Amino acid sequence: MLLAIDAGNTNIVFGIYKEGEWIHEWRFNTVPVKNQIEYEMFLRLNFLEANLKLEEVDGIVISSVVPQLNDILSEFSKPLIKREPLFVGPKIYEYLPVRTKRPYQIGTDLIANAVAGHVLYKQDIVIVDFGTALTFTIVGADGLIQGVNIAPGLKTAIKALVGNTAQLPEVPLELPDSVLGTDTIHAIQSGVLWGYVSMVEGMLDKIHAELGKKTKVVATGGLSSILHPLHQRFDEVKRHLTLDGLRLIHQIVNKDAQV
């Protein structure tokens, strides 16, 4: 059984992989950063509720894009599981089937996405990840990460809009039927959500035009389901793609691991 931890700017995702599937996924708010004991209690409680035993965990793999969490996440699990966690970072990139020209300038979550996309699909691919940031990771069939695009995510955009204006209310992330806003909430939803639909479509068109060919397009991230008109532009929506990347990284680096 594998414990994969994906620490992003909004949530820390704890995933449990067993017998060929992700059997549990738990989310913990990233901010405010907690101490080691709080993460330990969170994990213990969820293991207890899921009727799982910590001693069943055969491996731990961690990705973090939040530097102040790195030491805490690396250390809190050791006394619980008695195993050294694999921390994704430039020191292990030489073992992976993907390559990047700037290993210290790319998020470990994007590396995990790239590994999953390359290993699972074995062809040119664009991975669109809807998270705190909206990212496009372009990976060639040879495993070279050809480029990355980063834009503010949906929630980030709406929070910035509401936080920097005096009279605009916070709105739910629901795609309206019409692009013509008929009230303030509808206007924000239309502008941001339909705007993001157009941005993703336009970015994919520009990426494919620059590459000179079409690629497979896979979407992931918790917000990928909201912009449903985009699903016709995606070959697949794979919710656990980042976790799958962490799982594959763990298996590649620990060649004898059976989880």
Side-chain angles (χ1 to χ4, degrees):
M1 188 164 69
L2 177 72
L3 169 62
I5 303 175
D6 177 24
N9 289 293
T10 302
N11 294 303
I12 305 171
V13 179
F14 297 80
I16 299 295
Y17 189 83
K18 183 179 182 181
E19 298 177 352
E21 63 178 331
W22 294 101
I23 60 172
H24 289 286
E25 178 188 309
W26 307 303
R27 291 176 179 266
F28 201 64
N29 289 337
T30 303
V31 179
V33 172
K34 311 298 190 298
N35 61 43
Q36 186 172 325
I37 294 175
E38 289 175 283
Y39 292 115
E40 177 183 335
M41 293 305 298
F42 174 81
L43 197 62
R44 283 187 182 279
L45 178 60
N46 280 287
F47 263 70
L48 182 64
E49 290 181 347
N51 197 29
L52 297 173
K53 296 180 180 179
L54 288 166
E55 55 266 29
E56 293 178 353
V57 175
D58 297 315
I60 310 169
V61 58
I62 302 172
S63 163
S64 171
V65 297
V66 185
Q68 59 265 44
L69 273 175
N70 292 0
D71 289 341
I72 297 173
L73 291 177
S74 182
E75 293 298 325
F76 95 97
S77 57
K78 291 180 183 178
L80 292 179
I81 301 172
K82 307 292 191 296
R83 290 188 178 273
E84 190 75 23
L86 174 64
F87 217 97
V88 180
K91 291 182 180 180
I92 68 165
Y93 290 172
E94 64 180 292
Y95 303 107
L96 305 182
V98 300
R99 307 183 312 283
T100 176
K101 296 176 181 177
R102 293 176 173 81
Y104 290 92
Q105 295 184 25
I106 185 170
T108 53
D109 54 340
L110 301 184
I111 290 291
N113 283 348
V115 169
H118 178 64
V119 172
L120 297 177
Y121 300 101
K122 298 178 174 62
Q123 59 183 289
D124 296 325
I125 188 169
V126 177
I127 300 156
V128 186
D129 191 339
F130 293 84
T132 306
L134 169 65
T135 63
F136 301 77
T137 305
I138 302 95
V139 187
D142 62 355
L144 177 64
I145 299 175
Q146 299 177 340
V148 173
N149 300 327
I150 302 175
L154 284 169
K155 286 186 177 180
T156 305
I158 286 186
K159 284 183 179 178
L161 181 63
V162 172
N164 288 285
T165 51
Q167 295 185 330
L168 293 182
E170 193 159 351
V171 300
L173 288 173
E174 298 172 0
L175 186 71
D177 294 330
S178 172
V179 298
L180 306 176
T182 55
D183 55 45
T184 301
I185 290 177
H186 185 183
I188 296 173
Q189 290 173 325
S190 175
V192 174
L193 291 147
W194 278 111
Y196 268 70
V197 169
S198 298
M199 180 170 66
V200 173
E201 289 176 335
M203 187 64 74
L204 290 174
D205 288 342
K206 288 184 178 297
I207 289 170
H208 289 151
E210 188 164 335
L211 293 174
K213 58 186 174 183
K214 292 274 188 158
T215 71
K216 191 173 190 71
V217 180
V218 176
T220 190
L223 299 176
S224 57
S225 62
I226 293 173
L227 303 180
H228 49 81
L230 283 173
H231 288 194
Q232 61 186 350
R233 298 294 301 267
F234 303 146
D235 295 293
E236 189 174 344
V237 177
K238 194 169 181 64
R239 179 182 173 188
H240 291 126
L241 188 73
T242 308
L243 291 179
D244 276 328
L246 295 179
R247 170 179 63 84
L248 291 165
I249 289 170
H250 183 270
Q251 289 182 342
I252 292 165
V253 175
N254 300 280
K255 294 183 176 61
D256 297 327
Q258 298 293 325
V259 295

